[in-house]
Amino acid sequence: MSNIHRLGLLLLALLWVAGPVFAAEKPAKPAKRKTRDEVVTITTTQGVIRLILFDDTPLHKANFLQKAKSGFYDGTSFHRVIPNFMIQGGDSNSKDADPSNDGLGQANEGTIPAEFAAGHQHNYGALAAARQGDFANPQRASSISQFYLVQNRTGTHFLDGQYTVFGQTIQGLDVIDKIANLPRNERDHPIADIKMTMKTQKLNRKKIAKLYGYTY
């Protein structure tokens, strides 16, 4: 075999080995930036609350939007309110006339894995998922339906990293204040039911920023 022939075979072998490396190093296309988002509107007897859900808590965002769109939350109530702390709702039990089962949830209703995204804290107006305590739930998985809104104006940061924060109030902080300060019984259940309805609206993110002063 001639030296030229040997050299040609060697070059082919090198190209075959190097080919996959060159393909792997090809720069990936940048992810398409989202230009629209969904605003969640909660309507209560005390007024309207509007929320944005975070993209980097995708399991919680998808679950909450699905339930909001399906009508699951319509007729549920804020069944637990504590001034300078939070207001909690979303349990389907709160649709009935028996307040004693509010907050207990349904048997075998499932959970959502925790999503502790960096930077999402329990600030005033934060939307977070309720859950069972660590003794029964060491993974800190979230309730599939129950949520709370932080009412303390300085936040409830002792809960950071323990409960998944997956959204933020962009309008209606005053309504959260009103609900938190309503008369309640010894179980922190409002004396009068605070029923809600929920809907979503997809808007351009620039419009959301302009309407509500929210910064993405």
Side-chain angles (χ1 to χ4, degrees):
M1 184 181 292
S2 69
N3 290 336
I4 294 175
H5 193 193
R6 288 194 188 94
L7 181 59
L9 290 174
L10 179 61
L11 286 173
L12 285 173
L14 288 173
L15 287 171
W16 180 82
V17 171
V21 176
F22 292 149
E25 291 179 352
K26 186 177 180 181
K29 291 183 180 180
K32 190 174 181 181
R33 188 172 182 179
K34 294 181 179 179
T35 60
R36 292 164 68 81
D37 205 351
E38 298 198 65
V39 176
V40 178
T41 299
I42 302 175
T43 302
T44 76
T45 54
Q46 302 299 309
V48 169
I49 301 166
R50 289 191 170 89
L51 311 169
I52 282 292
L53 311 184
F54 300 141
D55 289 334
D56 53 2
T57 52
L59 300 177
H60 286 72
K61 181 170 185 172
N63 175 71
F64 196 83
L65 287 176
Q66 185 275 324
K67 282 181 165 50
K69 292 174 181 179
S70 72
F72 174 89
Y73 287 119
D74 294 348
T76 63
S77 68
F78 285 102
H79 62 267
R80 184 171 176 241
V81 302
I82 304 176
N84 298 314
F85 185 29
M86 58 90 226
I87 62 174
Q88 181 175 334
D91 182 10
S92 60
N93 289 339
S94 64
K95 293 182 180 183
D96 65 28
D98 179 11
S100 68
N101 64 11
D102 292 0
L104 298 180
Q106 299 290 318
N108 303 315
E109 65 183 358
T111 58
I112 306 172
E115 294 181 297
F116 298 136
H120 297 329
Q121 299 180 325
H122 283 75
N123 299 320
Y124 182 32
L127 167 67
R131 65 173 178 83
Q132 286 188 307
D134 288 359
F135 64 93
N137 177 29
Q139 294 80 23
R140 296 176 172 174
S142 301
S143 165
I144 205 165
S145 66
Q146 294 189 54
F147 63 92
Y148 60 94
L149 297 166
V150 175
Q151 191 265 329
N152 190 302
R153 296 193 176 201
T154 61
T156 57
H157 297 295
F158 64 94
L159 297 177
D160 291 346
Q162 299 184 57
Y163 292 75
T164 297
V165 175
F166 65 101
Q168 179 63 39
T169 300
I170 58 173
Q171 187 181 64
L173 290 170
D174 59 323
V175 178
I176 297 175
D177 290 341
K178 288 179 186 177
I179 294 172
N181 287 288
L182 290 171
R184 65 194 196 283
N185 64 20
E186 67 282 356
R187 295 178 56 243
D188 296 316
H189 192 292
I191 302 300
D193 283 344
I194 311 301
K195 298 290 186 182
M196 72 180 82
T197 58
M198 203 177 291
K199 67 176 184 178
T200 69
Q201 182 181 19
K202 186 170 283 190
L203 296 172
N204 187 284
R205 293 193 176 201
K206 289 183 178 179
K207 186 171 184 178
I208 292 170
K210 184 177 180 181
L211 286 174
Y212 305 111
Y214 179 73
T215 302
Y216 283 93

